[in-house]
Amino acid sequence: MAIVLFLLAGFLIGGTIQLVKSGATKFSIGLVGALALLAAAGGVAWLLPGDS
């Protein structure tokens, strides 16, 4: 599952870069960037050892 989250984060980071280049609104850039950070954080959290 971590690999899927990192893949998603990569696509979202690429999308954020394209939004910046195309001059999109700051809201859309921030939203996609925040989703990318959440996906990357989820991937890292998935890799951490847990009690399960």
Side-chain angles (χ1 to χ4, degrees):
M1 186 66 177
I3 293 172
V4 173
L5 288 171
F6 285 130
L7 253 163
L8 178 63
F11 281 121
L12 289 171
I13 289 170
T16 303
I17 292 169
Q18 289 302 317
L19 285 171
V20 170
K21 286 183 179 179
S22 69
T25 63
K26 291 187 181 199
F27 175 76
S28 61
I29 294 169
L31 180 66
V32 176
L35 289 174
L37 289 175
L38 283 173
V44 170
W46 199 276
L47 291 175
L48 294 175
D51 293 344
S52 58

